[in-house]
Amino acid sequence: MRRVYLDNNATTPVLPAVFEAMQPYFGERFGNASSIHHHGQETRAAVERARESVAALLGCRSSEVVFTGGGTEADNLAIFGVTKAGRHVISSTIEHHAVLNSCKHLEDSGCDVTYVSVDGRGLVDPDDVRRALRPDTRLITIMTANNETGVLQPVEEIGKVAAEADVYFHTDAVQAAGKVAIDVKHIGCDLLSISGHKMNAPQGVGALYVRKGTGLRPMLYGGSHERSRRAGTENVPAIVALGKAAETAARRLFGAIWRLCPTCVMALSKPYCAKSNPPE
């Protein structure tokens, strides 16, 4: 019997090009990316190239990308990194359990959480988010795309609500990254999570966009990896794979724009760099 796999919302197969890109880092290129000798600097360069590719996919600076062990860790780091006991958080009833259970833990730790519902189309109403705001609201966390229905949420409008209230905005974009164009500046989010295995990279790797200037407390303590935001020796093969998957997705999504200027990080149709959008 020939079986056909149709559950790409659960996980995606690793692309051959992605598998090929990561293979050398299991063998001859084995160095610790924090080491100062040749072997370490070789893998450090690979990690930074991957960071640039993820940044290009999301429309941000490479310094704003933090590699994690997956989408769940990225969600947790975003939520616990900016919120503490005594503050108020707004989320929705349709979030992934990585967010819902994080919010439940916040409630157990002394936070108040408001869960806005969705309408008959599965959409969060930005006005409901606005009405849920309180003087002590610290964070809004609403997903970009639902993992069961596929509905894209109005995150750009929610981002405006958050900006007007001077509240942190996090969006779980795990089901959106690599499938639809994402521009963190256009969304207006402070934090955005992605996962490698939802976009043809291996399981066990993800990333968190952290807008410059966002105060983020780490969840792990150790070395100064990831600009002291996520301690732990980097999983170089997986990070390289995520970078390759991001590059592949960007080529597919942005087409001619990407081929013209791979360093242009605007995700929609308005590249800002001089090479792809020269002044008239």
Side-chain angles (χ1 to χ4, degrees):
M1 179 187 298
R2 182 172 181 268
R3 297 182 182 274
V4 178
Y5 183 78
L6 297 174
D7 197 10
N8 283 313
N9 270 11
T11 196
T12 56
V14 175
L15 291 175
V18 172
F19 182 66
E20 182 181 355
M22 70 188 295
Q23 273 189 301
Y25 298 93
F26 287 113
E28 63 267 27
R29 300 178 187 174
F30 59 86
N32 185 325
S34 295
S35 299
I36 62 173
H37 49 61
H38 168 74
H39 297 285
Q41 292 308 294
E42 183 179 46
T43 52
R44 169 53 57 193
V47 167
E48 296 311 316
R49 286 194 299 271
R51 199 185 308 277
E52 290 171 2
S53 294
V54 172
L57 181 68
L58 303 181
C60 66
R61 301 177 177 91
S62 59
S63 60
E64 295 173 313
V65 173
V66 178
F67 289 118
T68 67
T72 293
E73 184 190 337
D75 285 340
N76 276 250
L77 180 57
I79 292 168
F80 296 120
V82 300
T83 312
K84 59 184 179 180
R87 302 305 294 268
H88 177 239
V89 173
I90 300 171
S91 190
S92 80
T93 56
I94 61 163
E95 298 299 307
H96 187 274
H97 281 110
V99 170
L100 289 176
N101 286 339
S102 294
C103 289
K104 177 63 168 61
H105 184 74
L106 285 176
E107 290 180 286
D108 293 341
S109 303
C111 286
D112 283 341
V113 181
T114 299
Y115 300 93
V116 297
S117 59
V118 296
D119 63 18
R121 298 167 296 169
L123 285 167
V124 171
D125 186 342
D127 286 334
D128 286 345
V129 176
R130 182 179 285 107
R131 283 188 286 267
L133 287 166
R134 299 181 351 193
D136 60 343
T137 302
R138 176 71 170 178
L139 171 70
I140 298 168
T141 175
I142 305 289
M143 61 177 21
T144 303
N146 185 263
N147 50 296
E148 294 183 9
T149 66
V151 172
L152 292 168
Q153 299 300 324
V155 288
E156 294 159 17
E157 295 175 56
I158 295 169
K160 292 176 183 176
V161 171
E164 290 168 3
D166 194 23
V167 170
Y168 284 123
F169 177 38
H170 163 250
T171 183
D172 177 345
V174 163
Q175 288 292 354
K179 300 170 186 174
V180 297
I182 291 176
D183 179 359
V184 296
K185 298 181 184 65
H186 197 63
I187 293 172
C189 58
D190 303 286
L191 303 138
L192 180 145
S193 307
I194 69 170
S195 179
H197 78 100
K198 305 292 188 178
M199 47 183 287
N200 301 113
Q203 298 163 6
V205 65
L208 177 66
Y209 157 72
V210 182
R211 183 178 59 82
K212 183 179 179 182
T214 301
L216 188 77
R217 292 189 307 276
M219 292 174 58
L220 303 174
Y221 293 89
S224 57
H225 311 84
E226 297 300 298
R227 297 175 181 258
S228 297
R229 296 173 293 191
R230 200 273 188 181
T233 301
E234 294 92 345
N235 183 350
V236 177
I239 288 172
V240 168
L242 178 57
K244 184 65 176 179
E247 178 185 331
T248 302
R251 288 180 184 276
R252 183 178 66 251
L253 288 168
F254 311 147
I257 293 175
W258 180 269
R259 288 192 294 274
L260 179 63
C261 182
T263 60
C264 180
V265 297
M266 289 297 283
L268 299 176
S269 60
K270 299 177 182 178
Y272 64 74
C273 73
K275 184 174 179 182
S276 59
N277 191 23
E280 295 180 359

